[in-house]
């Protein structure tokens, strides 16, 4: 599958109304496009950060939907008054949750990798880190996204609530360090977000 992510920063005081607009329209807009497989909307209310990802069954479906929807997305984000960065990825490991209720939380890490090491990085997550996470209370699912051409990647982990996410920090740190060492990647960022909206109609 292919994933489009958007990372937006802005005035925290303007975050609430912007989230309301995205929550009201995003799923309706996206689900009307061919190849749509799911959507997640996440926020850091204190810092004023929105990140969201939409899932597609082909690279062409992702690109076609971007062409149709980018204008409306820009309008919805405009009141936030900040920066917007869009990225395209391939989901090389996807253990998406069967369910995720209200109150879920999300951890996002980004990293750099050498293009030649993409398969090794994916294997380290799939065969090492992900099985370790499955034993954690409240762990709902996780995915690895890669852009091998740009030599970068991202891992998203979803937890049932904030308490489960907090409790996972130590064990996940150990699994992350091992996976990074085995895969030869360089960690760039680590962030945690409230899950504002999750739509999972196309869970494999």
């Amino acid at each position: 599958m292919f994933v489009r992510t958007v990372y937006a920063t802005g005035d925290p005081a303007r975050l609430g109304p912007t989230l309301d607009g995205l929550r009201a329209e995003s799923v309706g807009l996206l689900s009307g496009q061919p190849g749509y497989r799911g959507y997640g909307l996440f926020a850091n209310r204190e810092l004023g950060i929105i990140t969201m990802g939409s899932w597609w069954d082909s690279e062409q479906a992702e690109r076609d939907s971007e062409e149709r929807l980018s204008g409306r997305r820009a309008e919805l984000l405009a009141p936030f008054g900040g920066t917007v960065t869009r990225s395209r990825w391939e989901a090389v490991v996807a253990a998406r949750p069967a369910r995720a209720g209200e109150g879920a939380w999300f951890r996002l890490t980004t990293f750099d990798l050498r293009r030649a090491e993409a398969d090794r990085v994916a294997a380290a997550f799939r065969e090492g880190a992900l099985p370790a996470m499955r034993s954690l209370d409240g762990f709902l699912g996780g995915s690895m996204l890669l852009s091998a051409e740009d030599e970068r990647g991202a891992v998203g982990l979803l937890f049932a609530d904030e308490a489960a996410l907090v409790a996972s920090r130590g064990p996940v740190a150990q699994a992350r360090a091992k996976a990074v060492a085995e895969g030869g990647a360089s960690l760039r960022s680590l962030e945690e977000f409230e899950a504002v909206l999750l739509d999972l109609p196309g869970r494999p």
Side-chain angles (χ1 to χ4, degrees), residues 142-168:
S143 299
M144 173 177 279
L145 313 179
L146 293 185
S147 176
E149 272 191 30
D150 296 331
E151 298 191 316
R152 58 197 178 95
V155 168
L157 304 175
L158 192 67
F159 293 84
D161 51 39
E162 187 176 10
L165 177 133
V166 170
S168 76

Side-chain angles (χ1 to χ4, degrees), residues 87-103:
S87 299
R88 288 186 165 112
W89 313 87
E90 182 177 1
V92 295
V93 182
R96 298 171 68 200
R99 53 168 184 77
E102 190 172 334

Side-chain angles (χ1 to χ4, degrees), residues 50-71:
I50 294 171
T51 189
M52 50 186 156
S54 55
W55 291 66
W56 306 90
D57 62 13
S58 70
E59 188 174 13
Q60 190 61 51
E62 184 279 314
R63 292 184 181 276
D64 289 346
S65 70
E66 172 66 7
E67 184 175 340
R68 297 186 189 104
L69 301 179
S70 59

Side-chain angles (χ1 to χ4, degrees), residues 64-198:
D64 289 346
S65 70
E66 172 66 7
E67 184 175 340
R68 297 186 189 104
L69 301 179
S70 59
R72 182 54 184 155
R73 183 182 65 231
E75 292 172 353
L76 289 167
L77 289 172
F80 195 30
T83 67
V84 180
T85 302
R86 186 200 67 199
S87 299
R88 288 186 165 112
W89 313 87
E90 182 177 1
V92 295
V93 182
R96 298 171 68 200
R99 53 168 184 77
E102 190 172 334
W105 277 70
F106 179 70
R107 179 178 294 122
L108 175 67
T109 58
T110 63
F111 55 91
D112 296 336
L113 74 158
R114 295 184 298 276
R115 189 181 312 180
E117 300 295 334
D119 289 344
R120 188 155 71 100
V121 170
F125 178 72
R126 181 175 53 248
E127 298 167 13
L130 188 58
M133 315 254 179
R134 292 187 192 278
S135 66
L136 300 177
D137 289 342
F139 176 71
L140 299 180
S143 299
M144 173 177 279
L145 313 179
L146 293 185
S147 176
E149 272 191 30
D150 296 331
E151 298 191 316
R152 58 197 178 95
V155 168
L157 304 175
L158 192 67
F159 293 84
D161 51 39
E162 187 176 10
L165 177 133
V166 170
S168 76
R169 286 172 181 162
V172 170
Q174 295 178 32
R176 180 171 58 243
K178 183 178 180 182
V180 166
E182 291 177 352
S186 299
L187 194 70
R188 287 297 177 190
S189 69
L190 169 62
E191 298 178 273
E192 296 177 345
F193 299 91
E194 168 194 348
V196 177
L197 174 63
L198 294 166

